[in-house]
Amino acid sequence: MIGRCIYEPGRQRMLIRQVVDVVETLAGSQIGKGGTAAERSVQYREAFATMETDLLRIAAILKHPSFREEKEWRVVSPIIANDAEAPILFREGHAMLVPFIEFAIGLGDAPLALDHLFLGPTANINISMNSLKMFLEQNGIVPKRGIDYCQIPFRQR
C-alpha cells in the first residue's frame, strides 16, 4: 500500500477516533448488550486482532507536524508473519541491526516516475545527496522537479 503521510494533529485525532469507534462497534456486535468483563475483554482483543493490519498501516502514515515540509508518501507492507513469506534482511544501524525487506520499486522495465524528492535529515548531507543521486542515475530515475534537502535539522541521538 502507498499512503500519503498525515501531519495535522486534528486529522490524526479524527482518524484515531474513527478506528476506536469501529473497534467498539465490531466488539459490541460480537458481545451484544451483556457479557462479563472477561468476555468483553476477549471480544475487544479479537476485534483489535481482526483490524491489526489496518491499524499498523494507519500508524505508519501518521507523522509529527514538524516534518510537514517533507510531504512524504510511504510504502507500507502487509504484516509478515514468518520469514518464508518474505525474507527479512538486516543492515547495520547506529546502535543495532535494522531489519528490512527487499522489494522492487520499478514498474516493469519503466523507471519509477517521481515528481520531487526530499532527502531527510542526515549528519552527512553532501555524501548522502551524492549517494542518492548515484542510486537514481543507476536506476534511470529523474525526478521532474529535482531533489532538495528537507532543511529539518539533524539531531544525533
Side-chain angles (χ1 to χ4, degrees):
M1 180 189 97
I2 298 177
R4 180 181 288 187
C5 288
I6 299 171
Y7 302 94
E8 300 80 18
R11 284 187 60 208
Q12 292 174 349
R13 280 190 296 277
M14 183 180 71
L15 185 59
I16 292 166
R17 222 175 284 120
Q18 289 173 340
V19 168
V20 170
D21 288 347
V22 168
V23 169
E24 286 180 340
T25 301
L26 186 60
S29 70
Q30 293 172 359
I31 356 179
K33 298 284 184 196
T36 66
E39 290 170 333
R40 286 194 305 274
S41 178
V42 167
Q43 294 305 325
Y44 277 105
R45 268 188 255 123
E46 287 176 6
F48 271 110
T50 300
M51 296 184 61
E52 181 180 23
T53 299
D54 295 325
L55 293 170
L56 291 171
R57 285 180 175 167
I58 290 167
I61 61 170
L62 302 180
K63 286 197 72 178
H64 191 275
S66 64
F67 293 98
R68 178 180 287 115
E69 174 190 329
E70 293 178 353
K71 298 178 184 172
E72 183 178 343
W73 287 70
R74 288 195 169 169
V75 176
V76 183
S77 76
I79 295 173
I80 311 249
N82 63 52
D83 201 30
E85 289 179 48
I88 298 172
L89 305 171
F90 295 88
R91 66 174 175 79
E92 180 183 338
H94 289 293
M96 63 184 189
L97 292 175
V98 178
F100 71 95
I101 298 168
E102 206 169 61
F103 64 96
I105 60 173
L107 304 170
D109 292 333
L112 189 64
L114 298 176
D115 181 55
H116 197 181
L117 229 93
F118 283 95
L119 176 63
T122 178
N124 300 302
I125 298 169
N126 292 334
I127 294 170
S128 295
M129 187 64 79
N130 286 339
S131 296
L132 176 59
K133 286 178 180 177
M134 284 190 299
F135 171 81
L136 294 173
E137 185 178 312
Q138 191 176 72
N139 289 281
I141 301 170
V142 181
K144 288 180 195 169
R145 295 189 303 134
I147 307 166
D148 289 304
Y149 184 68
C150 72
Q151 301 305 317
I152 295 171
F154 175 74
R155 286 181 271 159
Q156 273 188 315
R157 297 172 192 205

